[in-house]
Amino acid sequence: MTIYGLIAQPAMHSLSPVMQNRMIAARQIDAYYQAFDVAPEQLGAAVAGLRVLSVGGFNVSTPHKSTIIPYLDELTPLAQRLQAVNTVKNVKGRLIGTSTDGDGFWQSIPRNQPHERVVLLGTGGAARAVMATALQYGVRQLTVFNRAHLDWSQRETTVAYLSQGIGQLADLADNQTLSAALQQADLLINATTVGMNDARTLLTDYQIGLLPQHTLVVDMIYRNQQTGLLRAAASRQLPTQNGLAMLVNQGALSFEYWFNQPADRQLMAETIRGITI
């Protein structure tokens, strides 16, 4: 039996083990997926241990997505551009890192949903994965809003680089720019943790009311399945989506990267639906 897994801290709340083990069993693969809680100072030892165990591959989550890079043998071009990894495959003893987060997000968006003009809240890891893959999924204009930071010019450069020129950074406090972007948006994405544990939102009810009626409002949070943002959007009859669909799709892409066979996304979604974490 080949071991696969997840390294993160905390790791035990993750839905990945139940989702991946269900898929492994469905495909009758002789493997098992295990979550490993790894502290930052133990990361190097953990990766060395996974090598010794000849694991087939593993997922990487917070806080290790960037710090794991020196311990890997190779990165895919996407992971190289992002300087972040969420999936690692063991190929004849070589650990190759990639990222399925961005593709997982865009593949979770309904195919008939317009998404040429996108408003993205946040510049963290999840937001960067979305930026780095937006162009290939047909996004033409990406406006990224963030609170003012000391490293603003560096973030501007990062947004332009990752988005391959279609993205621009704007201050969340710039009401004029924010209002104009919301009025034209096909898709609004919250890629921050605001609203994960409470009813807070980054946008006011008035600002949400500026969105066109076809705008899909996506909150990448999945632990709070009906965030304040999604409730406010739903009250205006806007279509909404939480982070579970992205979780399923990035997990399915990890499975396909490891095993070179298609994942059943519906089965994976059914497996985690209704599980509270």
Side-chain angles (χ1 to χ4, degrees):
M1 178 179 285
T2 305
I3 296 293
Y4 290 79
L6 163 73
I7 58 172
Q9 191 178 60
M12 297 313 158
H13 72 274
S14 175
L15 297 173
S16 292
V18 65
M19 184 169 66
Q20 295 290 357
N21 282 321
R22 179 79 183 274
M23 198 64 249
I24 286 167
R27 293 286 185 258
Q28 298 182 309
I29 299 168
D30 187 22
Y32 185 76
Y33 186 104
Q34 172 72 44
F36 299 99
D37 199 285
V38 176
E41 63 272 16
Q42 294 296 321
L43 181 59
V47 174
L50 293 170
R51 285 183 188 273
V52 170
L53 292 171
S54 297
V55 299
F58 53 94
N59 287 125
V60 184
S61 193
T62 308
H64 306 309
K65 287 186 177 184
S66 295
T67 51
I68 195 169
I69 288 174
Y71 302 106
L72 303 179
D73 300 302
E74 189 180 328
L75 298 179
T76 62
L78 175 59
Q80 187 72 48
R81 189 150 53 95
L82 270 174
Q83 283 298 292
V85 164
N86 84 323
T87 306
V88 176
K89 183 177 185 176
N90 187 342
V91 180
K92 298 178 180 175
R94 287 177 57 78
L95 297 182
I96 303 173
T98 191
S99 175
T100 66
D101 281 335
D103 290 298
F105 173 81
W106 290 110
Q107 291 177 25
S108 77
I109 301 301
R111 287 183 182 169
N112 61 351
Q113 171 63 41
H115 54 269
E116 289 195 357
R117 293 183 299 275
V118 177
V119 171
L120 176 63
L121 306 178
T123 55
R128 290 196 292 269
V130 168
M131 292 177 212
T133 44
L135 182 63
Q136 74 190 70
Y137 286 93
V139 178
R140 295 288 167 262
Q141 182 182 336
L142 178 65
T143 312
V144 182
F145 287 91
N146 208 86
R147 292 193 175 104
H149 279 272
L150 292 173
D151 59 349
W152 187 261
S153 62
Q154 185 181 333
R155 291 188 190 219
E156 277 186 316
T157 303
T158 299
V159 169
Y161 169 69
L162 288 178
S163 68
Q164 297 168 278
I166 63 169
Q168 62 177 30
L169 183 62
D171 190 340
L172 190 62
D174 181 347
N175 288 322
Q176 189 172 352
T177 301
L178 179 57
S179 294
L182 291 171
Q183 286 171 324
Q184 297 184 19
D186 298 314
L187 184 63
L188 168 67
I189 308 161
N190 175 38
T192 75
T193 57
V194 173
M196 182 181 289
N197 300 312
D198 51 41
R200 289 184 307 143
T201 65
L202 284 171
L203 302 181
T204 64
D205 282 354
Y206 170 77
Q207 289 168 329
I208 294 167
L210 296 174
L211 294 166
Q213 209 56 46
H214 73 271
T215 306
L216 174 63
V217 178
V218 180
D219 201 322
M220 293 170 79
I221 293 168
Y222 63 83
R223 286 183 222 171
N224 179 2
Q225 294 192 24
Q226 193 64 16
T227 63
L229 175 65
L230 296 185
R231 280 200 301 274
S235 73
R236 286 167 168 71
Q237 284 76 53
L238 295 170
T240 63
Q241 182 174 302
N242 66 23
L244 278 173
M246 176 187 175
L247 179 72
V248 168
N249 276 278
Q250 64 84 15
L253 290 167
S254 294
F255 180 92
E256 291 166 355
Y257 183 59
W258 294 323
F259 300 112
N260 297 311
Q261 55 177 298
D264 183 339
R265 284 158 172 77
Q266 188 172 344
L267 177 68
M268 296 175 85
E270 288 169 0
T271 303
I272 61 172
R273 194 173 291 131
I275 297 177
T276 55
I277 52 172

